[in-house]
Amino acid sequence: MLRGMTPRTACARHPPPNEPFGAGLIRRGLVARSGPDYVDLFFDVCGLLLHVDLVCQMLDQARFGPIARCYPWAVLAASRVSVHAAASNRCQMPTFRHGLGVNADWRQAAHACLEQLGRGGGTLGFLYATDYFAADLGLILEEMKEATGVAQWVGTVGMGVIASGRELFDEPALVAMTGDLDRNAFRVFGSLRSTDEIGASTLRCAGGETNFAVVHADPTNVEIAALVSALAGKVESGFLVGGLTSSRRLNPQIADGITEGGVSGVVFTEDVAVATRLTQGCSPIGPKRTITECQRNIILSIDGKPALDVMREDLGERLGKDLNRIGNQIFVGLPIRGSDTGDYLVRNLLGIDPQSKLVAIGELIQQNQQVMFCRRDLDSATEDMNRMLASIKKGLFGKPKGGVYYSCLARGPNLFGRKSEELGLIRDSLGDFPLVGFFCNGEISHNRLYGYTGVLTLFV
């Protein structure tokens, strides 16, 4: 990357007059694309890392010709000059290590994990344990700190945890990953439990403004959706990734110590290079429609017709005739207003009233809001997973240094199979590299909560 061409030095904080459409995205360190891909987000270790194929699209003279005149450095990237290699020569790339342990005794599980981690040091750790160890998470954290010398950690518990190519679900297990990032390029923050606390918080890192965050949230806080949205507004890119704790026991999160009740995690400056994508687990089976009458979470009519009649129409003859068969198969999709990527939130179908022809869903809704019915099945989830992996792979200049993956509880062994098939798709596409995560009670991407999705973030 050319020296001095970071988003803050190349451009003013506010857009210049007559800024061309799309240039603001480049200026903020975020490049969006149209079509089926949900998000392309890249940050170079010394500035902005541009995916050259995306820049070529944005320099299409029919729509984005002015960008070439306002931002000639973008043309350099679009000409497929490897700016990343030049940046790598100036800035030390972080290295990551990871390990896993499976044992009913947390001490034995931690020992096995530490043996794989080794003693290479590091500055930041990610720790995830299954909920079997929820009550012992504080003891596990102290053991990891003492043995590795890594003082700063983030993480939580889940009903399943994730390591490279492995899914450990509903069994006593833990996974950990450490990285030697620049201490000035990140900051761990404790649990923020209200939007007022977020508004009053200062999340600036020692090395500059925060640009991106990995977060974990307590599902018992009823304001979590609002907290996620508010926290996204505190980082320059507006992007968070992470998940909600999933546990049949306690709901602890890790932010250097044990915390709970809100949102916690780690923020990064633009000096930490990441790439992130989201994959849906449900696919639409009908067109986008409009809610014409509703009460709270109950849909009375769609497109001026009884809601249940419209649902039957979209389900087709086989499922529409026998609604007893749609459990765990059919869901409701709510397209995100203003999204140019076709993104949507998936919510549960809570119930139907055959006599009144009403449909109840797991979300508060409004009149004139768009809605569509979706199907959850292995084929559509696998297809979208492969699409996501192909998309993120295009932007890589080599194997990822490390990564975190947050997947819905309804995915993994409950959808792809019990032989770690979901993580196998990542390994087959991107190769073996340090990767950890957990199965969530809700996934976080950008500024909102999702369901039935997988959120992959790579340190590149």
Side-chain angles (χ1 to χ4, degrees):
M1 181 61 60
L2 300 180
R3 178 64 71 181
M5 289 301 179
T6 65
R8 284 197 294 273
T9 56
C11 310
R13 183 76 175 186
H14 299 286
N18 302 318
E19 181 178 79
F21 175 77
L25 297 176
I26 296 178
R27 177 170 50 79
R28 292 192 303 273
L30 178 127
V31 177
R33 69 185 300 177
S34 59
D37 298 317
Y38 294 99
V39 177
D40 285 291
L41 180 61
F42 299 95
F43 301 102
D44 189 22
V45 291
C46 285
L48 176 62
L49 171 61
L50 292 175
H51 179 192
V52 292
D53 290 334
L54 298 183
V55 179
C56 286
Q57 291 181 21
M58 297 189 74
L59 291 177
D60 180 347
Q61 295 300 308
R63 295 180 61 195
F64 305 115
I67 296 179
R69 298 190 296 273
C70 295
Y71 299 89
W73 53 275
V75 179
L76 181 64
S79 301
R80 285 164 169 73
V81 175
S82 180
V83 295
H84 183 268
S88 298
N89 290 332
R90 295 195 305 273
C91 302
Q92 183 179 357
M93 299 296 289
T95 58
F96 292 84
R97 297 171 293 120
H98 81 297
L100 64 91
V102 184
N103 197 291
D105 184 338
W106 71 261
R107 297 171 183 82
Q108 296 298 322
H111 178 73
C113 182
L114 287 165
E115 281 191 333
Q116 297 167 52
L117 269 177
R119 298 185 178 275
T123 56
L124 178 65
F126 296 83
L127 175 61
Y128 301 103
T130 58
D131 60 343
Y132 283 87
F133 294 145
D136 301 312
L137 192 62
L139 296 173
I140 296 171
L141 175 61
E142 291 306 313
E143 180 76 12
M144 302 301 286
K145 285 183 176 182
E146 182 177 353
T148 62
V150 177
Q152 296 192 276
W153 291 78
V154 294
T156 189
V157 298
M159 292 172 65
V161 293
I162 288 166
S164 299
R166 294 281 302 276
E167 300 165 17
L168 303 163
F169 203 94
D170 199 20
E171 59 180 314
L174 60 89
V175 299
M177 181 177 72
T178 59
D180 60 347
L181 287 78
D182 182 346
R183 296 180 189 276
N184 293 325
F186 70 89
R187 176 181 174 181
V188 174
F189 64 95
S191 192
L192 299 170
R193 298 177 175 85
S194 69
T195 54
D196 288 341
E197 287 187 14
I198 291 175
S201 64
T202 301
L203 298 179
R204 192 179 190 278
C205 300
E209 297 294 334
T210 58
N211 207 31
F212 182 75
V214 175
V215 300
H216 311 103
D218 190 328
T220 64
N221 188 318
V222 297
E223 296 183 4
I224 282 298
L227 298 185
V228 168
S229 178
L231 187 58
K234 300 286 284 190
V235 299
E236 286 193 335
S237 70
F239 258 84
L240 315 176
V241 298
L244 272 60
T245 299
S246 63
S247 177
R248 293 158 292 193
R249 297 168 174 83
L250 304 175
N251 290 282
Q253 293 85 47
I254 298 171
D256 289 346
I258 300 301
T259 185
E260 62 182 4
V263 181
S264 61
V266 55
V267 291
F268 300 95
T269 71
E270 62 186 19
D271 293 332
V272 177
V274 301
T276 185
R277 301 290 194 286
L278 176 146
T279 177
Q280 294 278 5
C282 299
S283 59
I285 57 174
K288 292 181 182 178
R289 299 181 179 276
T290 301
I291 296 173
T292 47
E293 189 177 1
C294 61
Q295 294 178 3
R296 294 183 60 80
N297 68 318
I298 299 174
I299 307 176
L300 283 68
S301 67
I302 299 174
D303 292 344
K305 297 184 290 186
L308 185 57
D309 288 350
V310 175
M311 188 179 82
R312 288 181 186 273
E313 179 182 335
D314 287 349
L315 291 180
E317 184 176 356
R318 185 175 67 88
L319 287 177
K321 284 186 175 181
D322 186 3
L323 297 179
N324 292 321
R325 300 174 57 186
I326 67 175
N328 295 322
Q329 292 187 58
I330 302 302
F331 299 84
V332 174
L334 301 173
I336 295 173
R337 192 170 299 173
S339 171
D340 59 357
T341 59
D343 204 359
Y344 54 94
L345 304 176
V346 176
R347 294 295 183 256
N348 288 326
L349 186 64
L350 299 183
I352 57 176
D353 184 338
Q355 292 185 342
S356 301
K357 297 186 176 182
L358 310 178
V359 175
I361 69 172
E363 182 75 21
L364 296 177
I365 47 178
Q366 297 178 345
Q367 188 174 350
N368 296 323
Q369 186 174 350
Q370 287 191 317
V371 66
M372 55 190 180
F373 294 99
C374 302
R375 180 195 299 271
R376 172 178 172 263
D377 60 61
L378 176 60
D379 289 343
S380 60
T382 301
E383 179 182 357
D384 198 68
M385 184 81 167
N386 287 327
R387 175 209 58 78
M388 179 270 284
L389 291 168
S391 173
I392 203 167
K393 189 174 182 179
K394 286 180 183 178
L396 301 180
F397 291 87
K399 184 180 291 187
K401 303 299 185 294
V404 287
Y405 185 57
Y406 305 110
S407 185
C408 179
L409 280 169
R411 295 168 63 92
N414 296 310
L415 179 62
F416 290 89
R418 295 192 171 273
K419 296 182 179 180
S420 300
E421 285 89 344
E422 183 175 8
L423 269 291
L425 291 172
I426 298 177
R427 181 192 55 209
D428 292 346
S429 177
L430 303 178
D432 281 317
F433 61 95
L435 177 71
V436 296
F438 73 107
F439 288 97
C440 313
N441 199 18
E443 306 78 63
I444 297 169
S445 179
H446 193 191
N447 59 358
R448 57 183 63 93
L449 291 176
Y450 285 84
Y452 305 99
T453 63
V455 180
L456 177 63
T457 300
L458 305 178
F459 294 96
V460 297

